[in-house]
């Protein structure tokens, strides 16, 4: 049991901690109660008060004798548990009587909530539809639905005094209907009224909770964490309370004796005065909440959580304890807030294999072993005695374990072995070292660190493909990184140390503590040289290397004997010198303007103005030698034909007088 206090209001959690094992003897329970204060104060009101799975809804019958918890929405129609209606998430509606399942039917759309109108025996279902479905239990048939202006409806409630039906929509409105005339009598825009000066709203507030109190009071919860208190005679809220978490309000309840409103989201239960809005007290359970229920006429609060175990809380100032646990009023003065302790400290859990190793299989079934899950509980003193008898060298093993543990701690202080990629190992090691330095600075300055290149998928090819291997001998690399020689030497030395450490760990299982390696202790301070001096040194080295390369090339040229090579031109082709190719290549590299000027200069291009004010360009296409030869042959052929042509003028007839022929 735990005790929390806010505003001098104590809240006793009666469901926290583990319960006492059932197989404990009375003698053991008394012994635990004597030496353990927490066990002495432990109270288990309801045995096995948990669900096989997560619980979403919890309610108490009107007579206060039954607590019902389910994973679906339900409504208790009777004073006890004899008449219950369940709304499943597959559109089915089940009716249960005292003997069990009675009848099942289905609604057209998926339902989210429903309410029962006692005067007309009508069930009102709201859900993923603009219609409110009505099922009359007296006639056993569906009635004409109510057509709302909303796209979907989340929650609903019926006023027990005058029977007004209200439904909360996803548009952030509450529509009120009169069941007698089946007409809408009011519309409240809660989404607009929930926005205050201190509220931070990122999306449209939808209605997530709805509850009537008396004839004129109604509380509305939104999906953005606000609770609005309305008087039905006004369209403006009397009070707007923000939970400040931005989470949907799961449940709203009224506590009339103290004029309190209990509103709950998944993280906190707030109790505040409905007249002033002042916080009375609050409760933050360990697990996320799904539903909250007030036990009738008492100070007990029940919760359905995101865990199978349900919560029981007792707040004495809200009311007395229920009749079946009236002893709580006498015990609350003795309860204090202390850390929880376990009751299994004097027991050792062993499996059947452990019993075989200890030679205690013959104790199975005796009072010395208590079956639990896949093994047994046994007294810790008996366990140590038997283990010492079976294994007299346990101390030596314990000593070796301690030595091995110290060795592992010493190894952890050394250079840790890192898994490096196959490509760009030194670059990867450099990035790892920089990442470690960033983490150290991040821990000190509490600055958000950026992701590493090694873990970024965009750069993974850089450490996998050999084509991306960094050439450290190139001139650009050595000039841009003046200190790379010393740093690379240190990094290569570190790589060798990592490889040697890996070999030692494979060959030796244990190694005594010793002096640090010479490589680690003999680190030089050469990296303290000036940057300019290192750059000059690298430049001199590059000049010497270039001079040696030129001498080697000159020597090779002198030793090389060049022989002329001849090429034969194919028939029908002409020889084009390299000069022509170079000229053509230069011409192709020029801009269009320069090429046009050259063409105009050579006479292959002419520019003329047209009548409409535009310009006309005329190009003379170049002809190949074969085309020129063909054109020359055609020209000679035409000239020869012209010379050989005979005149036909003598065949022309003279004009004669006479009658024309028709």
């Amino acid at each position: 049991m735990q005790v929390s206090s806010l505003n001098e209001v104590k809240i006793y959690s009666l469901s926290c901690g583990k319960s006492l094992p059932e197989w404990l003897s009375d003698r053991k329970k008394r012994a635990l109660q004597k030496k353990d204060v927490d066990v002495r104060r432990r109270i288990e009101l309801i045995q096995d008060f948990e669900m096989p799975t997560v619980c979403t809804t919890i309610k108490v019958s009107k007579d206060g004798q039954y607590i019902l918890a389910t994973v679906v929405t339900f409504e208790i129609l009777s004073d006890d548990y004899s008449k219950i209606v369940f709304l499943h998430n597959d559109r089915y509606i089940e009716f249960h009587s005292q003997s069990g399942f009675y009848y099942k039917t289905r609604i057209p759309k998926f339902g989210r909530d429903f309410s029962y109108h006692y005067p007309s025996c009508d069930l009102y279902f709201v859900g993923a539809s603009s219609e409110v479905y009505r099922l009359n239990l007296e006639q056993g048939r569906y009635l004409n639905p109510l057509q709302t202006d909303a796209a979907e409806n989340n929650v609903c409630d019926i006023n027990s005094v005058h029977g007004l039906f209200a439904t909360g929509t996803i548009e952030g409105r509450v529509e009120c209907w009169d069941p007698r005339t089946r007409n809408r009598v009011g519309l409240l825009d809660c989404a607009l009224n929930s926005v205050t000066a201190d509220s931070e709203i990122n999306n449209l507030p939808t209605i997530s909770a709805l509850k009537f109190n008396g004839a004129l009071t109604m509380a509305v919860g939104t999906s953005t964490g606000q609770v609005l208190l309305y008087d039905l005679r006004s369209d403006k809220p009397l009070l707007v309370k923000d939970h400040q978490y931005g989470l949907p309000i799961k449940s709203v309840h009224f506590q009339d004796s103290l004029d309190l409103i209990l509103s709950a989201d998944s993280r906190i239960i707030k109790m505040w005065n409905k007249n002033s809005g002042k916080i009375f007290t609050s409760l933050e359970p360990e697990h996320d909440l799904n539903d909250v229920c007030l036990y009738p006429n008492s100070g007990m609060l029940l919760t359905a959580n995101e865990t199978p175990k349900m919560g029981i809380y007792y707040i004495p100032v809200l009311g007395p304890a229920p009749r079946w646990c009236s002893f709580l009023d006498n015990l609350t003065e003795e309860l204090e807030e202390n850390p929880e302790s376990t009751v299994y400290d004097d027991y050792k859990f062993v499996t059947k294999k452990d019993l075989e190793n200890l030679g205690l299989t013959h104790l199975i079934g005796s009072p010395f072993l208590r079956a639990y899950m896949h093994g047994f509980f046994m007294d810790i003193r008996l366990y140590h005695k038997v283990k010492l008898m079976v294994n007299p060298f346990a101390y030596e093993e314990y000593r070796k374990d301690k030595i091995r543990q110290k060795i592992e701690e010493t190894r952890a202080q050394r250079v840790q072995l890192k898994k490096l990629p196959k490509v760009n190992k030194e670059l990867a090691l450099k990035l790892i070292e920089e990442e470690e330095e960033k983490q150290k600075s991040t821990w000190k300055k509490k600055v958000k660190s950026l992701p590493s290149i090694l873990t970024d998928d965009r750069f993974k090819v850089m450490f996998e493909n050999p084509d991306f291997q960094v050439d450290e001998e190139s001139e650009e690399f050595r000039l841009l990184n003046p200190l790379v020689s010393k740093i690379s030497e240190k990094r290569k030395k570190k790589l060798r140390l990592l490889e040697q450490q890996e070999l030692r760990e494979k060959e030796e299982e244990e190694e005594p503590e010793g002096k640090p390696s010479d490589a680690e202790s003999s680190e030089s301070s050469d990296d303290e040289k000036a940057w300019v001096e290192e750059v000059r040194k690298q430049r001199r080295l590059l000049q010497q290397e270039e001079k040696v390369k030129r001498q080697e090339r000159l020597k090779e040229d002198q030793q090389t004997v060049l022989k002329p090579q001849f090429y034969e031109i194919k028939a029908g082709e002409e020889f084009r010198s390299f000069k022509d190719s170079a000229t053509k290549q230069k011409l192709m590299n020029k801009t269009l303007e320069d090429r046009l000027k050259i063409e105009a200069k050579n006479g292959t291009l002419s520019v003329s103005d047209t009548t409409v004010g535009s310009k006309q360009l005329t190009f003379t296409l170049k002809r190949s030698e074969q085309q020129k030869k063909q054109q020359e042959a055609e020209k000679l052929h035409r000239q020869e034909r012209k010379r050989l042509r005979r005149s036909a003028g003598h065949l022309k007839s003279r004009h004669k007088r006479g009658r024309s022929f028709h």
Side-chain angles (χ1 to χ4, degrees):
M1 180 183 294
Q2 290 181 349
V3 183
S4 60
S5 177
L6 180 65
N7 295 339
E8 298 182 356
V9 178
K10 289 188 177 182
I11 301 176
Y12 301 92
S13 177
L14 306 179
S15 58
C16 68
K18 298 180 180 179
S19 58
L20 290 172
E22 297 179 357
W23 43 264
L24 281 181
S25 61
D26 295 338
R27 179 182 178 184
K28 183 61 180 178
K29 289 181 180 179
R30 288 193 298 269
L32 288 173
Q33 290 174 356
K34 288 181 180 180
K35 70 175 184 179
D36 195 336
V37 180
D38 186 62
V39 174
R40 185 167 61 250
R41 297 178 310 177
R42 189 178 304 275
I43 300 172
E44 189 170 5
L45 295 179
I46 305 175
Q47 299 289 334
D48 300 329
F49 192 54
E50 58 186 21
M51 293 282 289
T53 58
V54 177
C55 178
T56 59
T57 308
I58 185 169
K59 292 183 180 180
V60 181
S61 61
K62 295 179 181 179
D63 58 5
Q65 298 297 318
Y66 303 96
I67 300 174
L68 292 88
T70 63
V71 294
V72 292
T73 304
F74 70 97
E75 185 71 31
I76 305 173
L77 304 183
S78 60
D79 293 340
D80 53 6
Y81 70 96
S82 59
K83 293 181 181 179
I84 308 175
V85 182
F86 296 93
L87 174 62
H88 294 267
N89 54 9
D90 56 356
R91 296 192 290 141
Y92 275 104
I93 303 167
E94 285 190 5
F95 296 87
H96 285 244
S97 63
Q98 190 171 2
S99 58
F101 172 76
Y102 180 76
Y103 182 73
K104 179 163 55 174
T105 184
R106 205 173 191 184
I107 56 178
K109 299 290 184 178
F110 290 97
R112 295 172 182 169
D113 195 11
F114 70 99
S115 297
Y116 182 60
H117 187 247
Y118 283 89
S120 62
C121 298
D122 290 340
L123 283 172
Y124 288 77
F125 296 92
V126 298
S129 174
S130 61
E131 296 179 335
V132 179
Y133 304 111
R134 297 190 301 151
L135 176 61
N136 186 271
L137 301 185
E138 184 180 7
Q139 303 177 23
R141 65 183 183 92
Y142 283 99
L143 305 178
N144 292 332
L146 304 179
Q147 182 64 48
T148 65
D149 293 339
E152 296 178 2
N153 295 274
N154 292 332
V155 292
C156 65
D157 193 20
I158 294 179
N159 193 299
S160 59
V161 178
H162 47 66
L164 185 67
F165 171 76
T167 175
T169 69
I170 63 171
E171 291 85 4
R173 298 188 181 95
V174 174
E175 296 189 12
C176 297
W177 293 72
D178 188 350
R180 299 170 297 179
T181 61
R182 298 186 298 279
N183 294 325
R184 192 176 68 186
V185 295
L187 180 65
L188 297 176
D189 192 351
C190 301
L192 183 61
N193 294 327
S194 64
V195 180
T196 60
D198 300 331
S199 302
E200 295 183 1
I201 306 299
N202 298 324
N203 49 16
L204 178 65
T206 63
I207 307 302
S208 59
L210 187 64
K211 190 71 174 179
F212 280 109
N213 182 44
L216 301 175
T217 307
M218 180 179 66
V220 179
T222 65
S223 60
T224 53
Q226 290 83 30
V227 181
L228 296 85
L229 185 63
Y230 280 93
D231 189 311
L232 296 180
R233 294 168 294 185
S234 173
D235 59 349
K236 302 297 181 183
L238 300 175
L239 191 64
V240 178
K241 193 68 178 178
D242 196 340
H243 272 217
Q244 304 295 334
Y245 282 110
L247 300 174
I249 302 299
K250 296 291 188 73
S251 181
V252 179
H253 295 278
F254 288 88
Q255 212 282 342
D256 296 327
S257 61
L258 297 177
D259 289 335
L260 296 179
I261 297 179
L262 280 71
S263 55
D265 57 25
S266 60
R267 293 184 58 180
I268 192 172
I269 303 173
K270 287 193 174 183
M271 308 171 198
W272 43 281
N273 189 279
K274 67 179 183 180
N275 298 319
S276 62
K278 184 179 179 181
I279 292 293
F280 179 73
T281 187
S282 62
L283 171 63
E284 295 189 20
E286 298 179 359
H287 307 286
D288 291 346
L289 293 172
N290 287 328
D291 194 15
V292 177
C293 176
L294 266 175
Y295 201 92
N297 303 320
S298 71
M300 183 172 289
L301 191 67
L302 306 174
T303 62
N305 309 321
E306 280 293 331
T307 56
K309 192 172 184 179
M310 286 164 282
I312 305 176
Y313 301 91
Y314 179 51
I315 311 174
V317 293
L318 291 178
R323 289 186 302 172
W324 53 272
C325 57
S326 58
F327 56 87
L328 288 178
D329 294 330
N330 300 326
L331 296 177
T332 52
E333 297 181 359
E334 302 177 4
L335 299 177
E336 295 177 359
E337 184 177 1
N338 280 325
E340 180 184 354
S341 61
T342 179
V343 299
Y344 302 107
D345 294 338
D346 294 339
Y347 289 89
K348 172 69 176 177
F349 180 80
V350 292
T351 62
K352 191 172 182 180
K353 186 176 181 180
D354 296 334
L355 294 177
E356 293 177 356
N357 296 333
L358 296 174
L360 298 178
T361 54
H362 62 282
L363 295 180
I364 297 177
S366 65
F368 296 101
L369 297 178
R370 298 288 182 177
Y372 183 75
M373 294 176 63
H374 61 284
F376 306 89
F377 275 112
M378 66 180 301
D379 193 281
I380 191 68
R381 294 169 296 179
L382 176 62
Y383 174 79
H384 287 311
K385 287 182 180 180
V386 176
K387 189 172 182 181
L388 184 61
M389 294 173 60
V390 173
N391 189 5
F393 302 100
Y395 176 74
E396 293 295 331
E397 293 180 0
Y398 171 78
R399 182 173 174 273
K400 289 182 180 180
D401 291 338
K402 284 294 182 182
I403 295 174
R404 189 179 294 106
Q405 184 179 359
K406 281 190 176 182
I407 292 173
E408 294 298 332
E409 292 177 356
T410 307
R411 287 177 178 174
Q413 297 174 359
R414 299 181 183 178
V415 179
Q416 297 293 329
L417 186 63
K418 303 177 180 66
K419 187 177 181 181
L420 300 177
K422 297 181 180 180
V423 182
N424 290 326
K425 289 185 177 181
E426 296 187 15
L427 177 61
L429 185 59
K430 176 185 175 183
L431 294 174
I432 292 175
E433 293 175 353
E434 292 178 353
E435 185 67 22
E436 292 177 353
E437 294 295 331
K438 287 182 181 179
Q439 290 180 357
K440 292 180 181 179
S441 62
T442 302
W443 294 338
K444 293 180 180 179
K445 300 180 181 180
K446 297 183 179 180
V447 181
K448 185 178 181 181
S449 60
L450 298 176
S452 175
I453 297 179
L454 292 172
T455 59
D456 199 331
D457 294 338
R458 297 176 295 176
F459 304 98
K460 65 178 182 179
V461 184
M462 185 178 177
F463 303 98
E464 297 176 356
N465 193 343
D467 295 338
F468 291 92
Q469 179 66 43
V470 177
D471 186 8
E472 299 181 1
E473 300 298 328
S474 63
E475 179 179 354
E476 294 82 0
F477 182 84
R478 295 171 64 180
L479 288 178
L480 292 175
N481 299 271
L483 299 177
V484 72
S485 58
K486 294 296 180 184
I487 296 175
S488 61
E489 289 178 4
K490 291 174 62 179
R491 196 166 288 116
K492 289 177 180 177
K493 187 184 297 183
K494 193 171 183 179
L495 287 173
R496 289 195 298 269
L497 289 175
L498 291 175
E499 294 176 357
Q500 294 176 3
Q501 180 181 349
E502 184 179 8
L503 292 176
R504 286 198 302 269
E505 289 181 354
K506 289 182 179 179
E507 294 176 357
E508 301 178 1
E509 294 182 356
E510 299 179 0
E511 91 178 342
E513 297 183 4
K515 298 181 180 180
S517 61
D518 297 336
E520 294 178 351
S521 60
S522 62
E523 293 183 355
S524 62
S525 60
D526 296 339
D527 52 354
E528 298 178 358
K529 294 182 179 180
W531 181 81
V532 178
E533 181 182 354
E534 188 66 26
V535 172
R536 291 175 179 174
K537 181 180 178 181
Q538 292 293 333
R539 190 175 293 278
R540 288 195 299 269
L541 291 175
L542 289 173
Q543 291 176 355
Q544 293 177 2
E545 292 176 1
E546 185 64 25
K547 184 177 180 181
V548 172
K549 290 180 180 179
R550 287 200 302 268
Q551 292 177 357
E552 292 179 354
R553 286 197 300 267
L554 181 61
K555 188 176 180 180
E556 291 178 357
D557 294 341
Q558 292 175 354
Q559 295 177 357
T560 303
V561 179
L562 300 178
K563 296 182 180 180
Q565 296 182 359
F566 299 92
Y567 298 91
E568 183 179 357
I569 300 176
K570 295 182 180 180
E573 294 185 358
E574 60 179 0
F575 174 73
R576 294 182 180 179
S577 63
F578 295 104
K579 184 177 180 181
D580 297 338
S581 301
T583 305
K584 185 177 181 182
Q585 184 66 28
K586 289 182 180 179
L587 183 63
M588 295 301 295
N589 294 334
K590 291 182 178 296
T591 61
L592 179 61
E593 181 182 3
D594 296 338
R595 289 164 60 186
L596 291 176
K597 290 180 180 179
I598 295 174
E599 295 290 343
K601 186 177 180 181
N602 294 336
T604 59
L605 173 67
S606 61
V607 182
S608 60
D609 296 332
T610 62
T611 57
V612 295
S614 61
K615 292 184 178 295
Q616 180 178 356
L617 299 177
T618 305
F619 291 89
T620 302
L621 299 178
K622 293 183 179 180
R623 297 187 298 269
S624 62
E625 294 297 330
Q626 186 175 0
Q627 291 177 344
K628 290 180 180 179
K629 289 180 181 180
Q630 185 176 359
Q631 291 179 357
E632 187 68 25
E634 292 177 355
K635 183 178 181 182
L636 293 175
H637 178 68
R638 286 194 297 270
Q639 291 176 357
E640 183 180 1
R641 292 292 301 272
K642 190 174 183 181
R643 289 195 303 269
L644 296 176
R645 188 175 61 183
R646 293 177 295 176
S647 176
H650 63 282
L651 298 177
K652 185 177 180 181
S653 61
R654 296 179 180 179
H655 180 70
K656 296 182 179 181
R657 296 179 180 179
R659 187 178 179 183
S660 59
F661 177 76
H662 294 283

